[in-house]
Amino acid sequence: MTPEEVGRYAESLPGVKRKGTEARPAWYVRDRLVVRLDDPRTAVIRVPLARRESLLDSYPGSFGVPPRMEAHHKVEAYLDDADPAGVRAAIELAWEMQRR
């Protein structure tokens, strides 16, 4: 999945707006982070902790949780290897969580 595809999908969800910088674009709903590109290969996506493990199990190789994110509602998506359906599912989970 490309960074452009991440942005297009995020912006297709109601209320999502692009913020951040050119180098690190991010998409928010109601000023709450949905997804951010840390670099062209890595996206940080907010996901409910209760759904994170099932996401990791369903899409092995697509996501990881570095030690610095273990206590947070986040996963890293490795865009070069990620299943696009998994990335879209994670972005949608983030959108659902953050729009409330």
Side-chain angles (χ1 to χ4, degrees):
M1 187 164 203
T2 68
E4 292 79 18
E5 291 170 321
V6 168
R8 277 194 302 272
Y9 185 71
E11 289 174 21
S12 76
L13 299 170
V16 173
K17 295 184 179 4
R18 182 183 166 150
K19 295 185 179 187
T21 65
E22 190 65 32
R24 286 184 66 184
W27 292 266
Y28 290 77
V29 63
R30 298 178 60 200
D31 291 322
R32 294 177 175 175
L33 178 67
V34 172
V35 57
R36 175 184 70 238
L37 292 174
D38 273 353
D39 60 56
R41 296 177 156 158
T42 310
V44 174
I45 305 170
R46 298 274 310 203
V47 295
L49 287 175
R51 303 286 305 273
R52 185 166 69 183
E53 286 305 315
S54 67
L55 188 67
L56 295 169
D57 290 342
S58 296
Y59 300 98
S62 293
F63 302 103
V65 182
R68 71 183 186 285
M69 291 184 186
E70 286 178 358
H72 302 281
H73 294 266
K74 295 179 181 173
V75 295
E76 283 186 339
Y78 307 118
L79 300 178
D80 288 345
D81 300 318
D83 181 329
V87 175
R88 287 189 297 270
I91 291 171
E92 192 164 331
L93 285 171
W95 171 74
E96 288 173 359
M97 180 177 80
Q98 297 295 67
R99 70 185 177 133
R100 296 182 186 156

